[in-house]
Amino acid sequence: MNKKIACITTCWNRSLFTECMTGIVKAAGDFHFTVCVFNCFGGFDYHSTNTAGEFNIYNLPDLKDFDGIFVQGNQIQDYTVREQIGDQIERAGIPGVSLDLPVRGCINVGIDNYKAMRAMVDHIIKVHHRRNIHFISGPSYNWEVMQRLQAYDDAIREAGLTPHVHPGDYLFQTGYKAAKEILSQGEIPEAIVCVNDTTAFGVYRALKENGVGIPEQVIVTGFDHTDTVSGYCPSLTTIERHNADCAYNAISLLKELMEGGRGMNPAENEAQPLFLQSCGCIEKDDSVTFGFKDIYVEESEYRDHYNDVQQILMEKLLEAESIETLMEGIMANKGIFDCDNYYFVLNKEILDFDNSQSERGRRDISERVVLAATDDDTVLAHGGLMAEFSSRELIPKAVFESSPDSVFSFFPLHYKEESFGYVVFKGERLPLIDKGLLKHTLLYINLAIENGRKRYMLKELNEQLDALYVRDNLTGLYNRFGFERFANNILEKARSEKKKTAVIFADMDCLKAINDRFGHEIGDYAIKQVAQAIRKACVEKQLIVRYRGDEFLIIGVCGDLSDAEKLMEKIRRNLEEESSHSGLSFPINASLGCKILNPEENDTLEECIKKADERMYDEKKRKHAERH
């Protein structure tokens, strides 16, 4: 049986992830591994509830079910998250390898950040003879940043120069703002060394907006050699990391550990400066520009197609009235994912918008999950959609069994910190990640699920409010508003179907005397007993109304007067039964009267009620005469 390894990473730096995945996929094929990549879009905003929801995907796997683990440490910037991953690895007791940033329970491999950055800064000083050199840094707690900053500081001081360090966070906007601030001081620096390529591209924009030439006036350098470097003009001088090779070497080391090796001397991955146009080492290369234009055209065509499919998908998602119809919309537009296959796995509770309201706030993926959408014929033949299984299995067993040596990528489905489940993509490459589109696709799906739940909740609240509007608070029967809404509809429907309608008027006996002697609380209890007796006697299609304080109406289709008399007799028996079990010291009774309306008669509902009321009053007078 082939080995199964877990990979923990994020996509906050898409280029680093994509390049590393190239090495991971190659290693998986060479070593016949099944790879499960637990991925997300968590970045630097550690206190964001959305970021917490993204990182929750790392709690999904039980690492004891894997033979080894690879952590792309330089992608997971949050120290707390790395510590939690380290806890999981140590509890599982499996071999682990981390890339570039140490993770507890793992052997760390990576590049020599200090050596590479020192070579870059020395080159600027010794080859280009620049003296006023600034450094735009990254997160201060980051180990790689510390190494790069130390290299810059040592090189600057050893050359007898003054260091100029600006804080940052690896992002484009950081480089842009830092460069604007430097220029605002009235002096143009001779070089700006950036902690990574993305920061350098922000510097590019600021310098170009201010008419500052690169590299004629200011040398700009980066670090990482991301895939966008050649698309900028001038091309960026940077540090080439060979990320794919680094990842491949890391998986090779993991294989050695899994086979019982000790991994005592992991090889250090090479990283060296790549001197391009932004430091002036090479002239402008038009072939690079034209090559980038070809890539740009391809990207534009891909995005145009994606936008068309996405528009159709969004319309389906917005129309969905349940999770099932939402998932059907996804399956109808499966081409948007551009992968071998996909599997939407949802928390069992989320399938019912109604039941899911009680589960609001769930942060963890539930123990029992349901396969809600896929296009995998193998799975559909073994249980099909809505099949329930344990989240520890990750995906239905049939998928793993039919797909050895495959790569599966897991992403969280959530709204803020609240988990909906996860989605799994099968395939060695995910073009939506490569092109920066998957984050938005999943965001739309997450919002569609949440909006669907909110729409359902609003509908439910409106129904509850409507029920309060048409229902009597004491008895739960319909009130006068309910009578006005439904009564005439019953009458007209019976007429259209050539059927008779019975209108029964019931008036509780002696309520005033009960209230005067025993109090209104006992009187209310007695009213409820009458309502209960009537409710038990009637069928579902009959309208029961608390018409006024102690008066009730029953309206419904009937055969003839004898049917109505049977119903009234049943009410009287129910009143005797309720009275015997009420615990009250007095009997509970009501007087009843009925009007049967034939379909050819033109009497209004009000006229029918009046006649039923008169007949009820006749019975009440008869009872009074009998008592006296």
Side-chain angles (χ1 to χ4, degrees), residues 280-293:
C281 281
I282 66 171
E283 297 295 325
K284 182 177 179 181
D285 184 354
D286 288 337
S287 65
V288 173
T289 304
F290 285 124
F292 181 72
K293 287 180 179 179

Side-chain angles (χ1 to χ4, degrees), residues 205-363:
R205 173 175 290 182
L207 295 181
K208 290 181 178 180
E209 286 180 356
N210 286 270
V212 178
I214 307 171
E216 298 82 12
Q217 292 174 275
V218 181
I219 287 176
V220 180
T221 67
F223 200 115
D224 290 335
H225 192 216
T226 54
D227 57 7
T228 52
V229 166
S230 59
Y232 279 79
C233 185
S235 57
L236 180 66
T237 292
T238 184
I239 303 295
E240 190 168 21
R241 297 176 63 126
H242 304 288
N243 293 300
D245 292 340
C246 292
Y248 186 94
N249 293 339
I251 301 299
S252 298
L253 176 60
L254 182 59
K255 176 177 179 292
E256 178 187 335
L257 296 172
M258 288 160 53
E259 293 173 347
R262 301 181 64 186
M264 297 297 293
N265 298 298
E268 185 177 278
N269 296 300
E270 284 293 323
Q272 61 277 331
L274 184 64
F275 302 121
L276 299 175
Q277 297 169 7
S278 70
C279 70
C281 281
I282 66 171
E283 297 295 325
K284 182 177 179 181
D285 184 354
D286 288 337
S287 65
V288 173
T289 304
F290 285 124
F292 181 72
K293 287 180 179 179
D294 292 339
I295 295 172
Y296 176 80
V297 170
E298 292 175 5
E299 292 277 334
S300 297
E301 291 177 351
Y302 189 95
R303 285 177 178 270
D304 287 344
H305 173 71
Y306 167 84
N307 289 334
D308 291 341
V309 177
Q310 183 199 59
Q311 179 65 34
I312 298 172
L313 174 62
M314 287 307 301
E315 291 173 0
K316 292 288 185 182
L317 297 183
L318 292 174
E319 293 170 357
E321 296 182 354
S322 67
I323 289 290
E324 287 85 349
T325 54
L326 192 151
M327 290 294 130
E328 287 170 5
I330 289 174
M331 293 174 67
N333 295 272
K334 59 189 177 183
I336 196 171
F337 300 120
D338 197 8
C339 60
D340 294 349
N341 221 311
Y342 62 91
Y343 311 85
F344 276 81
V345 180
L346 301 181
N347 294 340
K348 182 182 177 183
E349 302 83 5
I350 205 70
L351 280 173
D352 188 339
F353 279 146
D354 187 12
N355 292 337
S356 70
Q357 300 310 315
S358 64
E359 292 291 323
R360 293 199 68 90
R362 172 185 284 279
R363 296 190 180 187

Side-chain angles (χ1 to χ4, degrees), residues 58-66 69 80-96 104-106 392:
Y58 302 150
N59 296 325
L60 171 61
D62 187 331
L63 296 182
K64 294 177 183 177
D65 297 332
F66 291 85
I69 181 169
T80 302
V81 174
R82 289 203 307 275
E83 281 295 289
Q84 291 171 351
I85 294 170
D87 288 342
Q88 291 175 268
I89 295 170
E90 290 188 339
R91 285 197 301 269
I94 60 173
R104 192 153 38 84
C106 295
R392 181 169 178 174

Side-chain angles (χ1 to χ4, degrees), residues 8-29:
I8 307 291
T9 186
T10 76
C11 282
W12 77 263
N13 187 318
R14 181 166 44 88
S15 295
L16 283 181
F17 165 75
T18 301
E19 292 166 16
C20 283
M21 276 304 298
T22 300
I24 292 170
V25 167
K26 185 177 187 305

Side-chain angles (χ1 to χ4, degrees), residues 588-607:
I588 301 172
N589 292 311
S591 298
L592 303 168
C594 175
K595 160 65 179 172
I596 300 297
L597 180 67
N598 294 312
E600 63 273 10
E601 294 183 71
N602 293 322
D603 287 8
T604 64
L605 185 59
E606 288 72 20
E607 290 170 336

